[in-house]
Amino acid sequence: MSASIERWVDEVARTTHPDQIVWCDGSDAEIERLNSEMVAGGTLIHLNGSKHPNSYLHRSDPQDVARTEQLTFICSERPEDAGPTNNWMSPREAQERVWPLFSGAMKGRTMYVVPYIMGPATALSSRVGVELTDSPYVVANMRTMTRMGQVALDRLERTGSDDWVPGIHSMGDLSPVRRFILHFPETRTIWSVGSGYGGNALLGKKCFALRIASVMGRDQGWMAEHMLILELSSPEGDVMYIAGAFPSACGKTNLAMLRSPLEHEGWRVRTVGEDIAWIHVGADGRLWAINPESGYFGVAPGTSSKTNPNAMASVRQDTIFTNVALTPEGDVWWEGIDTPPPSGLLDWQGRAWSPSLGTPAAHPNARFTSPATNNPALSAQWEDSEGVPLSAILFGGRRARTIPIVSQSFSWQHGVYMGASMASETTAAATGQVGVVRRDPMAMLPFCGYNMGDYFGHWLEMGANAAIPPAVFQVNWFRRDADGRFLWPGFGENLRVLRWVRDQVLGRNPAGARETPIGIVPTAQGLDVDGLNLSSVALNELLSVDRGDWASEADEQGSFLDQFGDHLPDELRREHRALLDRLGAVAASR
Ligand code: GTP
Ligand code: SPV
Ligand code: MN
């Protein structure tokens, strides 16, 4: 056992005063014991084993159901290193204001020592973390989401490395007034207090694998991204890997698990990852991606056997459901699942519920935690040590107007501009107003551990270092008609867009694509919409690039990027000017 870990555990225990300390080994016996303790203590409900074997329901504190971005800080020495889009707190203020919240915080509780690996156990690019937590629910989730326990200590021992990321987590008193999620990029340390919710408390996920890892990637020449990774196979036998950065609750899990409507023809989609990608330049000059996680912490509402059959199969067993509704038979229910709500339902807070209440039965950010190995569409390559080579990167978001269903960038540089300037409507994955359009560069606004201006520079550099960078696209499944209805069926039918992307990558689309001021967009014939019952008006709308909408869009992009000042790479300023020029050229030609 690593002496440095033991020393740190002792030191933290001297502040937090747990009743006992338990080192987690990740064994079956251990999780069975933890689960029965939580059931006995009332924090887990055992679900009906004939509906969901080995599965549980957890109800959060009603004030603790989503990430709290306003309470999330980057604690670099200099505010400039956090940049204008992050909350900043000096390490000294953190010590004075936040560290005291850990004092005695674990009295009457157990402190679990949770060693874990982000990435496959033997991959060179994997990294080890250790989370100290007083929440057994966090331990149970970390066991599914990461390679957890003895396997992580073994990796340190085998590699002779003492390089691990420390994270301290306490539920505290769960008051949002005393809740802080702090990241120290210089010491690569994480402190989280006052929340038990996923992204705030499962420190391997957003805190390490994105915020701290993005800093490591900047320093070491790789990238940590909020991206799905999927494998697309065609009837011709070629296989292509595509990554996609969409903001929280904007469709990564669903695209990564897409069930192809044309499976019988040989069009297949398989999942490599559904939330996070770590990306390296390969010896062959391509970008290679691994999924550092081993489970899915997915959005429940909207998930059904129609929209995402692979997710429904994945959550059939070995799953922790959080903040869904409970049926009298001990089954789970949420809005958008296959069946109408049964009577006698208890809502996500355990209160009697009926449709007449007009409130959702499941919390809109209710989640499932399932092992990746439950996914019937898991790629055979999902834990390859080298990762998979990316042919394309998609940037996506929720936009009711303006953004066409798909467009391709003219170059890597223009693709970085597309990512840096993208926006999306806010969702229930974070507390605050839902449905407000905000800029969310590369879907990383809440997850970049350093100045995003420098982050854009890192993207440009990664493309320059790759002889064959992926093609870059922007997609939007969420455009609406005048009555507010989605114009595009989405889900499985997104395969049609993936096929257009593949054709573009293979250079086979001469008649199916046209240049517009914002990028290369399908022609009306270019996108296969056979059998969709899509009116030509709807199709035109999906493919349209409206000059007026884009004039204000480009303006907003410009003022957003301006805030990065000297940190904004000149290349992006040039791309912005080039976009304005192209839009102006359209204006002049009409
Ligand atoms: P995080 O886990 O928060 O990072 O989210 P995610 O990007 O993985 O989002 P997810 O796939 O879980 O989708 C979030 C919500 O969007 C769910 O309610 C889905 O049903 C819905 N959704 C996903 N894909 C589509 C689509 O193609 N069309 C429509 N209309 N809705 C979609
Ligand atoms: C997200 O909000 O992007 C998620 C869920 O994937 S959480 O782990 O809570 O961040
Ligand atoms: Mn996410």
Side-chain angles (χ1 to χ4, degrees), residues 378-401:
L378 192 58
S379 161
Q381 265 61 56
W382 85 281
E383 48 186 357
D384 266 17
S385 301
E386 305 296 318
V388 295
L390 299 179
S391 296
I393 289 176
L394 316 180
F395 291 120
R398 288 179 183 263
R399 293 296 297 272
R401 309 165 50 93

Side-chain angles (χ1 to χ4, degrees), residues 113-163:
V113 182
V114 184
Y116 60 93
I117 313 175
M118 297 314 292
T122 56
L124 208 60
S125 46
S126 297
R127 294 286 184 275
V128 172
V130 184
E131 173 165 359
L132 306 182
T133 178
D134 55 11
S135 160
Y137 165 80
V138 164
V139 178
N141 277 273
M142 286 292 285
R143 183 177 191 271
T144 297
M145 296 304 297
T146 71
R147 282 91 174 167
M148 183 274 259
Q150 191 57 41
V151 65
L153 299 176
D154 288 349
R155 179 179 163 108
L156 288 178
E157 176 118 6
R158 196 177 58 244
T159 55
S161 157
D162 201 31
D163 192 7

Side-chain angles (χ1 to χ4, degrees), residues 171-487:
M171 301 284 279
D173 63 6
L174 287 183
S175 164
V177 183
R178 284 174 290 280
R179 181 179 301 161
F180 292 95
I181 297 94
L182 306 188
H183 309 73
F184 300 84
E186 281 108 4
T187 54
R188 294 180 186 162
T189 307
I190 303 156
W191 296 354
S192 167
V193 62
S195 168
Y197 171 73
N200 290 340
L202 312 178
L203 302 188
K205 199 173 179 41
K206 297 310 197 321
C207 301
F208 179 177
L210 289 178
R211 298 195 191 95
I212 295 294
S214 62
V215 172
M216 293 175 155
R218 174 199 63 191
D219 295 344
Q220 301 166 0
W222 51 280
M223 307 162 94
E225 298 298 332
H226 192 203
M227 287 182 179
L228 69 97
I229 311 165
L230 67 80
E231 176 186 299
L232 174 67
S233 310
S234 85
E236 293 163 51
D238 55 296
V239 176
M240 188 175 278
Y241 294 92
I242 299 176
F246 309 174
S248 302
C250 289
K252 290 181 300 299
T253 303
N254 279 271
L255 190 66
M257 300 181 91
L258 184 152
R259 173 83 55 94
S260 163
L262 301 178
E263 187 100 21
H264 58 281
E265 283 182 23
W267 289 104
R268 290 192 299 138
V269 172
R270 294 293 179 264
T271 317
V272 177
E274 51 80 74
D275 196 47
I276 298 177
W278 284 0
I279 303 175
H280 291 76
V281 181
D284 62 357
R286 292 188 288 179
L287 294 185
W288 290 68
I290 66 162
N291 169 14
E293 302 189 283
S294 60
Y296 306 154
F297 184 61
V299 176
T303 308
S304 72
S305 13
K306 280 212 182 66
T307 58
N308 193 345
N310 291 322
M312 290 305 281
S314 303
V315 304
R316 155 95 188 137
Q317 55 198 352
D318 322 313
T319 294
I320 305 168
F321 295 92
T322 300
N323 300 334
V324 301
L326 182 66
T327 79
E329 286 83 53
D331 197 357
V332 291
W333 190 89
W334 51 77
E335 279 69 21
I337 202 173
D338 300 286
T339 50
S343 58
L345 206 59
L346 297 182
D347 77 359
W348 62 279
Q349 298 187 66
R351 304 172 303 194
W353 183 90
S354 75
S356 64
L357 287 173
T359 55
H363 188 276
N365 190 40
R367 298 260 166 178
F368 55 79
T369 314
S370 301
T373 48
N374 274 12
N375 178 4
L378 192 58
S379 161
Q381 265 61 56
W382 85 281
E383 48 186 357
D384 266 17
S385 301
E386 305 296 318
V388 295
L390 299 179
S391 296
I393 289 176
L394 316 180
F395 291 120
R398 288 179 183 263
R399 293 296 297 272
R401 309 165 50 93
T402 315
I403 311 295
I405 184 157
V406 56
S407 59
Q408 183 181 6
S409 77
F410 299 119
S411 64
W412 176 260
Q413 214 158 286
H414 178 224
V416 175
Y417 177 84
M418 266 184 176
S421 62
M422 73 193 245
S424 187
E425 293 157 21
T426 50
T427 68
T431 56
Q433 225 182 325
V434 168
V436 186
V437 174
R438 71 166 183 185
R439 300 288 135 193
D440 187 347
M442 283 84 173
M444 282 287 278
L445 181 75
F447 307 121
C448 185
Y450 61 103
N451 190 313
M452 283 202 106
D454 300 338
Y455 167 82
F456 303 148
H458 186 54
W459 264 80
L460 292 167
E461 201 173 318
M462 287 292 294
N465 292 343
I468 318 166
V472 181
F473 299 80
Q474 179 160 39
V475 300
N476 176 23
W477 319 141
F478 300 95
R479 201 149 165 169
R480 294 176 191 260
D481 66 14
D483 298 324
R485 284 181 300 244
F486 290 123
L487 284 162

Side-chain angles (χ1 to χ4, degrees), residues 35-44:
N35 285 339
S36 1
E37 285 172 11
M38 284 189 276
V39 170
T43 56
L44 273 195

